[in-house]
Amino acid sequence: MTRPRRDPRAERAALLVATGEGTRPRLDRTVRRDGGGRLRRDPRRERDGQRVPGVLRPRYDLSQVSRPEAGPVHEAPRAVQAPVPTVVVLDAPAFLVLVVPDAAGGRLTPHDRQVLGAARVLAGREGGVAILAPGTCEGSGPAGADRLVRLDDKGGDALGDCDPGGYDPAGRAALVAEAIAELRPRHVLFPESPDGGDLARRVAVRLRQPLFSDVEAVAAGSIARPAHGRRVEQRTAPGLLVTLAADAVAEYAGPPREAREIPVRIETLARAAPAILSATTIPADPATVPLGLASFVAAAGSGVTDLATFREVVAALHATPGASRVLCDAGLMPRSSQVGASGTVLAATCYVALGISGAPQHLQGVAGCEHVVAVNTDLHAAMIERAGLAIVQDAQAVMPALLRLLTQDAGPTRDAP
């Protein structure tokens, strides 16, 4: 058996395209040869199929696929719908793991969310996590809470209105102990913070229960903490009262939970007068607070040339001043205000970056900040990508506008009785 001999001249002549008055031959490479073979691409036709009509200069929609056989085809881009997160509903939990957060200002702190993550580990699939909130607690469901418990004491907020001064640790410990007796949880977790640790020890004394404090490792059946100068590790089964150290357990990263509210009414007996007659919180001067302890930091970078206006913005925001390494190396800002891996690593709740592009060392210094606001002219700057709120504008124009808005907001308040 023999196959027919190819005639290259005849195949090439079959591909010729009439060009009218043209003097050179043109070949149609989109036509299949008689012997078969793969269709040859026509880049020009594919590019024409991607061209967007109705514009002065060529624009191309590269998400569209051109079809050379059918000519240019323009399809409307499909809207990509973000997946809706599914809320996990737990109707009848086998047991409860109670979390008593600090919840300063009605918001969960990063330490509180870590305690909720540890509670989810102890609860597993069958148990539920209940959070004992002093009032409105934002973000309880996404943080991993199945139930939200609000204590009512004579129709008021039990954890916040124990006395006119707003600070009664003994009364708060009594209410938490009564809530534990009412809910009967398997475990109760507190953050090992100045307020949370004090409350946990008061509750332990009132309930006459042992307290396993400063836990750094949490598993389904065991918890552990360092002891004897961190030379040994104490491990035991989870008990009733536990306090968790900061940055020891990861936050809950699963789907949001229901956070169904449970009304708990506690009929308390008449309590003795609190030993603390009055308590006043004296805020520290943000200008003198060390960067590592500041909760609100505003920093300037090379994009800020008017440092006097920057200092006015920092004072109006009641923030702690910071700076990038460029300004500190130039001597425009003190070295103690440098933010970054080679300066100070922040743990602030909010960080405002004015004119900072975001070097790798600077991004390492703000990795622990909860909220980041960036002002920069470069849309593709690393700090813009890191920020939760980005303003693509010159910092020199944003700072005076921000000062005007802050002055307008402070005006009625200053004149109010």
Side-chain angles (χ1 to χ4, degrees):
M1 180 178 180
T2 60
R3 61 181 178 179
R5 185 183 181 88
R6 288 185 55 198
D7 188 355
R9 293 187 178 89
E11 294 178 359
R12 193 172 183 83
L15 298 177
L16 288 176
V17 179
T19 58
E21 299 179 357
T23 57
R24 62 183 180 87
R26 292 186 60 187
L27 304 178
D28 187 3
R29 295 295 188 181
T30 63
V31 179
R32 289 183 179 271
R33 299 175 180 177
D34 296 337
R38 186 174 60 183
L39 189 66
R40 187 181 181 93
R41 289 183 54 200
D42 187 355
R44 293 186 180 89
R45 182 171 294 181
E46 293 179 3
R47 197 69 172 172
D48 291 339
Q50 297 169 351
R51 187 165 180 173
V52 179
V55 293
L56 298 178
R57 61 183 182 87
R59 290 187 60 189
Y60 300 96
D61 185 3
L62 300 182
S63 63
Q64 306 300 318
V65 179
S66 63
R67 300 177 177 87
E69 298 85 1
V73 177
H74 303 284
E75 298 179 357
R78 299 178 180 178
V80 179
Q81 186 176 6
V84 179
T86 304
V87 178
V88 179
V89 178
L90 190 63
D91 293 327
F95 59 92
L96 286 179
V97 178
L98 187 63
V99 174
V100 185
D102 290 336
R107 297 176 61 255
L108 294 175
T109 64
H111 197 177
D112 294 337
R113 289 194 290 267
Q114 295 168 10
V115 177
L116 284 167
R120 287 249 59 96
V121 174
L122 295 178
R125 295 184 178 181
E126 299 180 354
V129 175
I131 181 171
L132 187 63
T136 302
C137 195
E138 300 177 0
S140 301
D146 297 302
R147 300 291 186 268
L148 177 62
V149 182
R150 297 181 185 178
L151 295 180
D152 292 332
D153 183 20
K154 299 179 182 180
D157 183 5
L159 296 182
D161 297 335
C162 294
D163 68 327
Y167 180 72
D168 183 13
R172 185 179 181 187
L175 290 170
V176 172
E178 293 172 6
I180 293 173
E182 180 72 19
L183 297 173
R184 298 183 181 274
R186 181 175 293 184
H187 312 291
V188 182
L189 274 63
F190 300 83
E192 186 60 51
S193 60
D195 293 335
D198 177 74
L199 179 62
R201 286 154 179 81
R202 291 177 182 272
V203 172
V205 172
R206 183 171 292 272
L207 295 179
R208 297 183 179 180
Q209 292 287 339
L211 173 66
F212 200 77
S213 61
D214 206 18
V215 171
E216 293 187 356
V218 178
S222 65
I223 54 178
R225 67 180 178 186
H228 300 291
R230 308 187 72 89
R231 293 191 299 270
V232 297
E233 183 183 70
Q234 294 180 349
R235 186 174 295 272
T236 183
L240 177 62
L241 303 178
V242 177
T243 63
L244 186 74
D247 301 327
V249 179
E251 301 177 7
Y252 173 70
R257 317 291 290 196
E258 184 183 11
R260 184 191 307 173
E261 185 174 350
I262 303 177
V264 177
R265 190 80 180 183
I266 298 178
E267 297 180 359
T268 58
L269 300 177
R271 301 192 185 97
I276 301 175
L277 300 180
S278 64
T280 304
T281 301
I282 302 176
D285 185 7
T288 59
V289 172
L291 280 179
L293 303 177
S295 60
F296 187 13
V297 178
S302 58
V304 175
T305 57
D306 189 359
L307 293 179
T309 305
F310 167 72
R311 293 186 177 91
E312 293 180 7
V313 171
V314 172
L317 291 174
H318 302 286
T320 302
S324 64
R325 183 174 180 176
V326 176
L327 294 186
C328 294
D329 290 345
L332 300 177
M333 293 290 288
R335 184 64 64 182
S336 60
S337 63
Q338 179 178 338
V339 177
S342 57
T344 302
V345 177
L346 303 181
T349 304
C350 184
Y351 176 69
V352 180
L354 299 171
I356 299 177
S357 59
Q361 290 186 348
H362 193 90
L363 293 179
Q364 293 176 12
V366 302
C369 297
E370 185 176 357
H371 304 288
V372 176
V373 181
V375 180
N376 201 291
T377 56
D378 186 5
L379 177 62
H380 305 286
M383 185 58 70
I384 295 291
E385 298 179 0
R386 167 65 178 86
L389 174 61
I391 303 175
V392 184
Q393 185 57 266
D394 187 4
Q396 298 299 133
V398 172
M399 290 190 299
L402 183 58
L403 279 176
R404 288 193 299 268
L405 292 176
L406 292 174
T407 304
Q408 293 175 4
D409 293 342
T413 305
R414 189 182 301 112
D415 299 335

